[in-house]
């Protein structure tokens, strides 16, 4: 009797494990690569440093929506280190004033697989990129440091562009889109110095897109005690050949052109997530 009872328990446990495995398999619709910055200190125009990172809602809200929709997230940074949140983004204004929602999103990020041990971009580029159904680039000022003018980022974006796979970026995240061109570092350095700068073979030339607007950036600069950032991202994108579609400051704005989905500011998080999920679903 004891033996039969043990066998029954074993069979129940086995069936339960199989059921959970099957449920997980059904729930996973595919993988979305999330590209985050490795850096935490933004150099300003005068050479001083400003502490930065990813914006909590710009990363967490779309990440939460993607997971709830059944997608597995794979996190990557240029250095393979853990990304850091910009403490200024830990603010309920980005969550409709809801403290509990902000804390929930913090927990979502804290529980993401690989959040403290991300993949290194160089290693991801050596892997089979076809395993990824889409690419998502959160904002915060950190992308202005190491995702723009980065040849490895350029290779990654070129793959998703050539395959016409959904590519979404929000707020300052779209600045990474300047990387897939000839001599991206020279382009951004010349532009920051005020010299005439021309993008060469930029894969997104003529695309409709958006990015954190200059009026919004100027509001941010008021918190820098008279200091300024090296260049305005929107002006750089326009100089490269983007067809910018900017909305009134601080209003949600998402622009979709072919595989590219861009959001203007932190308040575009939910709309961008919905657009990305819709494109992922249509591509299946």
């Amino acid at each position: 009797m004891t033996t039969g009872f043990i066998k029954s328990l074993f069979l129940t446990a086995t069936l339960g494990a199989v059921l959970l495995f099957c449920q997980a398999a059904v729930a996973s619709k595919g993988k979305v690569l999330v590209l985050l910055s490795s850096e935490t200190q933004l150099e300003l125009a005068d050479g001083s440093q400003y502490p930065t990172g990813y914006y909590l809602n710009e990363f967490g809200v779309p990440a939460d929506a993607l997971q709830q929709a059944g997608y597995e997230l794979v996190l990557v940074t240029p250095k393979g280190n853990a990304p850091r949140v910009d403490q200024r983004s830990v603010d309920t204004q980005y969550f409709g004033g809801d403290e509990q929602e902000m804390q929930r999103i913090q927990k979502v990020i804290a529980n993401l697989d690989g959040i403290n041990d991300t993949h290194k971009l160089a290693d991801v580029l050596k892997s089979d990129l076809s395993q990824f159904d889409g690419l998502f680039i959160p904002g915060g000022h950190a992308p202005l440091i190491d995702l723009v003018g980065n040849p490895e980022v350029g290779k990654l974006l070129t793959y998703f562009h050539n395959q016409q796979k959904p590519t979404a970026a929000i707020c300052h995240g779209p600045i990474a889109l300047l990387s897939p061109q000839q001599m991206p570092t020279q382009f951004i350095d010349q532009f920051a110095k005020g010299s005439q700068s021309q993008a060469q073979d930029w894969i997104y030339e003529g695309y409709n897109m958006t990015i954190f607007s200059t009026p919004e950036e100027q509001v941010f600069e008021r918190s820098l005690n008279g200091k300024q950032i090296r260049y305005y991202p929107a002006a750089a994108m326009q100089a490269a050949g983007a067809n910018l579609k900017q909305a009134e400051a601080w209003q949600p704005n998402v622009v979709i052109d072919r595989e590219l989905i861009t959001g203007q500011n932190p308040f575009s998080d939910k709309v961008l997530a919905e657009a990305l999920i819709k494109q992922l679903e249509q591509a299946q």
Side-chain angles (χ1 to χ4, degrees), residues 44-251:
L44 301 178
D46 66 353
S48 61
Q49 302 289 316
Y50 168 78
T52 188
Y54 63 80
Y55 252 47
L56 179 62
N57 72 301
E58 294 173 11
F59 176 19
V61 171
D64 179 51
L66 285 164
Q67 285 193 317
Q68 290 195 36
Y71 291 93
E72 177 186 349
L73 304 184
V74 178
L75 310 185
V76 59
T77 59
K79 294 180 180 178
N81 60 330
R84 184 181 299 176
V85 65
D86 187 326
Q87 289 300 321
R88 292 196 182 194
S89 70
V90 186
D91 191 317
T92 57
Q93 70 170 313
Y94 302 114
F95 299 89
D98 190 335
E99 177 75 26
Q100 289 187 338
E101 177 63 7
M102 184 180 76
Q103 292 178 359
R104 186 184 74 81
I105 292 298
Q106 286 179 299
K107 290 179 181 177
V108 167
I109 291 179
N111 290 325
L112 286 175
D113 186 26
I115 187 61
N116 294 313
D117 184 23
T118 67
H119 295 278
K120 187 176 182 179
L121 180 53
D123 294 334
V124 170
L125 289 171
K126 294 175 185 176
S127 70
D128 180 10
L129 293 178
S130 68
Q131 66 182 297
F132 302 112
D133 299 285
L135 174 65
F136 169 48
I137 308 174
H141 281 86
L144 295 173
I145 310 169
D146 62 345
L147 300 190
V148 63
N150 186 324
E152 290 184 336
V153 173
K155 290 179 182 178
L156 184 70
L157 285 163
T158 297
Y159 170 80
F160 281 88
H161 170 74
N162 289 341
Q163 298 299 317
Q164 289 292 288
K165 289 189 174 184
T167 302
I170 185 170
C171 202
H172 289 85
I175 200 67
L177 301 174
L178 289 176
S179 288
Q181 60 169 295
Q182 295 294 323
M183 299 185 293
T185 302
Q186 289 89 329
F187 169 82
I188 205 66
D189 285 346
Q190 289 177 4
F191 184 83
K193 293 175 182 177
S195 303
Q196 186 173 2
S197 186
Q198 185 173 359
Q200 299 180 38
D201 299 322
W202 187 38
I203 64 174
Y204 298 111
E205 182 177 1
Y207 265 62
N208 296 322
M209 64 180 71
T210 190
I211 193 170
F212 200 60
S213 70
T214 297
E216 289 167 327
E217 201 72 76
Q218 289 169 337
V219 170
F220 161 74
E221 285 181 326
R222 294 174 193 166
S223 68
L224 299 178
N225 299 317
K227 298 181 179 182
Q228 294 180 311
I229 61 172
R230 291 177 60 224
Y231 62 91
Y232 291 133
M237 299 294 280
Q238 195 158 27
N243 185 18
L244 285 185
K245 301 291 185 180
Q246 304 288 69
E248 184 179 346
W250 314 116
Q251 296 302 308

Side-chain angles (χ1 to χ4, degrees), residues 24-41:
V26 171
S28 179
K29 293 182 180 178
K31 295 181 180 180
V32 174
L33 191 64
V34 183
L35 175 62
L36 295 134
S37 170
S38 287
E39 304 300 327
T40 61
Q41 294 292 325

